[in-house]
Amino acid sequence: MQHTRLRFPPSPTGYLHIGGARTALYNWLFVKKTGGRLVLRIEDTDADRSTEESISGIIEGLEWLGIDWDEGPYFQSDFSADHRRAAEKLLQEGKAYHCFCTREELEQKREAALAAKQNVGYDGTCRELGEAQVEAKLQAGTPAVIRFKVPERQGKIGYDDKVLGRIESSYNEIDDFVIVRSNGSPLYLLCNVVDDIRDRISHVVRGQDHMTNTMKQLLLYEALEAPVPVFAHMPLTLDTKKAKISKRSHGEIVAVEFYRDHGFLPWAFNNFLVLLGWSPGDDREIFSKEELIEAFSLDRINKSASIFNYRKGDPKFFTDPKAIAINEHYLRTMAVEELAPLVKEVLIDDGLWHNDYDTGLRQWFFDTIDLIRSRFHVLTDFASMGRAYFSDEFEIEEKPLNKNLLKHPGLKQWLPELADDYERLSDFSVEETERLARACAERVGVKPGVVINGMRTVVTGQLAGPSMFDVLVTIGQQNVVTRLRKTPQLFP
Ligand code: GLU
């Protein structure tokens, strides 16, 4: 059996966005599932719009996602000789022809056809030019494009789309399309096919926005006498108002790098992406890498558009809630050993990392991650909401400050007294710290919650968190004592 060969061929004209990443992921999953190979091809023939920055952004995005490729990156611009040779061959074999119609002529014909409610496609004027006529015009330097000569056939051309089923079109619906511009540069339609033939691509998995190209490309495969790959066209990704997602209307929220920079876990993000347009046929939503490779198939890709459920303006849930929910699931349940290196990177970025966390405090570091993650959404929460566990310098959030501290002026005195009790403890344990906190509340005549919430505010700066006495033990006797003693400074 021949191995499957797939490709991810981004045009480097912007960052890697959600749609592109999903395309890459589906190709990658199918390759892994079938033991095939993935080719990364940068389609950079549009020199005006391609940028180095975009190329490195796309590559970094794929690397972050863990989508690896087996060949490439190839650059389409390195193969322009192949593209020109193919156009030449089509000309020589009479499968393409020079067209000298000017833009103005074409525009006039188009308008006339529109007015007469006729087909607006190219009318074939230059199709019948004799060889001598063509030669003379070329000699005279008349600008010419090269058009593909769509065979004059009755009936339909079509293919069996792995997602959409049989797709057909009548030959007479396809007009002679341009394959080389008048400046000699071949069009994407042609380059893409020539490259797929050279790269021996067996399956083309791409967005439905390319379907208009597919019929023309089928004709090119036939004319170039190459086997046609299997096509699978994936649904578009739209926003909740059914508009196509794009940087212009949605901003950075649709860029993969946004998720990397906002503390998403790469695999969790892949898990979110795969569900944007594919389902396993049952109600599973969480998949390990191995499970997903096993479950994935092209024929379970959805036919209709998928919705990126993005709500503007909500700072905590700044993206599709499902992306957050899946991220939380992994963040809160994955093996701490696997999570720890990712937390380390975040702490390093924020200047919160201590080398002890890799040596003497390694177990403490693991236990702390495990304790505090239960309310976290993204990795960066370790450095923000979790900052007090790794540094003495942290902010006290306004809400707990007002609600749990300033509202009870007695705490100004009670918490430093409790600090003295804590300092004297020889066993700074969950049980002992709790006993003394409750005794303190009783002594001063308030509910234990007043002391505990006040303490949480002063020790962590947060409104809520894990069990307070676990928190105290984790932060450690000396730090707790010091922080509690600073309580009066927080009062005006
Ligand atoms: N370069 C094209 C794009 O980025 C890829 C088209 C294809 O997959 O055939 O949309």
Side-chain angles (χ1 to χ4, degrees), residues 48-186:
D48 292 339
R49 294 180 60 224
S50 301
T51 65
E52 284 296 326
E53 196 188 341
S54 166
I55 296 172
S56 48
I58 290 168
I59 290 181
E60 280 166 24
L62 293 174
E63 283 171 348
W64 177 70
L65 287 165
I67 297 178
D68 52 358
W69 52 93
D70 305 287
E71 287 175 35
Y74 299 137
F75 291 85
Q76 189 158 61
S77 56
D78 288 342
F79 296 94
S80 42
D82 288 0
H83 309 141
R84 258 182 251 119
R85 207 175 304 124
E88 210 43 56
K89 178 173 148 73
L90 294 175
L91 271 179
Q92 274 164 14
E93 294 175 359
K95 295 171 180 170
Y97 59 92
H98 286 102
C99 168
F100 302 94
C101 295
T102 64
R103 196 177 295 234
E104 294 71 38
E105 285 166 353
L106 292 173
E107 194 49 42
Q108 276 169 12
K109 284 182 190 169
R110 210 182 105 85
E111 275 166 23
L114 270 178
K117 296 205 164 58
Q118 281 168 356
N119 188 351
V120 291
Y122 182 63
D123 67 354
T125 305
C126 295
R127 202 176 158 126
E128 309 309 336
L129 289 179
E131 220 171 292
Q133 269 171 301
V134 171
E135 217 29 63
K137 280 182 186 281
L138 288 178
Q139 288 295 331
T142 318
V145 300
I146 300 176
R147 280 185 191 273
F148 181 79
K149 193 187 272 181
V150 176
E152 281 181 59
R153 289 187 195 143
Q154 296 302 315
K156 294 183 180 218
I157 177 168
Y159 61 99
D160 293 311
D161 192 289
K162 275 281 173 210
V163 176
L164 302 166
R166 184 78 190 159
I167 305 285
E168 288 182 331
S169 177
S170 301
Y171 280 95
N172 59 21
E173 278 166 7
I174 312 171
D175 60 331
D176 292 353
F177 52 92
V178 178
I179 53 174
V180 179
R181 297 182 187 85
S182 56
N183 67 4
S185 67

Side-chain angles (χ1 to χ4, degrees), residues 234-466:
M234 308 177 306
L236 301 181
T237 306
L238 307 177
D239 71 7
T240 44
K241 296 196 184 103
K242 303 269 160 77
K244 219 179 142 181
I245 56 168
S246 71
K247 186 177 182 187
R248 213 168 335 120
S249 40
H250 302 83
E252 56 181 355
I253 198 81
V254 298
V256 167
E257 62 194 51
F258 178 86
Y259 295 86
R260 180 194 62 199
D261 297 345
H262 281 79
F264 278 74
L265 297 158
W267 181 254
F269 198 62
N270 280 312
N271 193 150
F272 164 68
L273 280 178
V274 79
L275 297 174
L276 267 184
W278 173 88
S279 80
D282 50 41
D283 55 8
R284 277 180 300 164
E285 293 212 313
I286 299 291
F287 299 87
S288 69
K289 202 176 280 186
E290 294 69 30
E291 285 165 349
L292 189 56
I293 291 169
E294 168 71 29
F296 188 77
S297 70
L298 296 178
D299 53 16
R300 292 218 62 88
I301 294 177
N302 302 342
K303 291 185 177 47
S304 49
S306 24
I307 304 297
F308 176 60
N309 192 1
Y310 155 59
R311 292 177 298 180
K312 244 185 187 150
D314 189 339
K316 188 73 222 176
F317 293 101
F318 47 73
T319 183
D320 191 326
K322 192 172 223 168
I324 307 253
I326 293 177
N327 203 64
E328 285 167 0
H329 170 83
Y330 282 97
L331 193 76
R332 296 173 187 182
T333 59
M334 68 193 277
V336 174
E337 293 73 15
E338 283 172 40
L339 182 56
L342 303 171
V343 177
K344 176 177 174 175
E345 278 176 41
V346 168
L347 296 186
I348 290 174
D349 283 349
D350 278 62
L352 297 172
W353 175 253
H354 300 279
N355 284 333
D356 295 357
Y357 298 163
D358 260 346
T359 53
L361 289 181
R362 190 173 150 86
Q363 194 54 47
W364 175 87
F365 183 52
F366 284 10
D367 292 346
T368 302
I369 290 176
D370 202 25
L371 176 71
I372 65 182
R373 65 175 166 168
S374 65
R375 282 164 193 267
F376 289 176
H377 312 281
V378 285
L379 276 170
T380 41
D381 288 340
F382 283 93
S384 52
M385 293 160 78
R387 194 176 167 95
Y389 294 85
F390 307 107
S391 170
D392 289 330
E393 279 158 33
F394 56 91
E395 242 179 82
I396 312 266
E397 286 186 357
E398 208 171 299
K399 207 162 165 194
L401 181 68
N402 291 326
K403 184 172 165 223
N404 292 337
L405 200 69
L406 302 186
K407 240 174 81 185
H408 305 283
L411 288 168
K412 199 167 157 178
Q413 195 186 327
W414 308 332
L415 292 184
E417 282 171 11
L418 184 56
D420 294 342
D421 293 344
Y422 279 173
E423 192 172 44
R424 281 191 292 272
L425 271 181
S426 57
D427 169 26
F428 193 75
S429 63
V430 169
E431 295 72 25
E432 287 301 289
T433 49
E434 176 163 5
R435 187 178 60 78
L436 290 179
R438 288 182 186 279
C440 166
E442 207 175 308
R443 194 167 63 237
V444 302
V446 294
K447 288 188 184 145
V450 172
V451 172
I452 294 172
N453 290 334
M455 193 151 55
R456 186 184 300 284
T457 307
V458 173
V459 173
T460 69
Q462 298 284 303
L463 184 64

Side-chain angles (χ1 to χ4, degrees), residues 7 9-11 43 188 192 206 210:
R7 70 335 181 242
S11 304
E43 297 204 321
Y188 154 75
N192 185 252
R206 63 183 177 188
H210 286 288

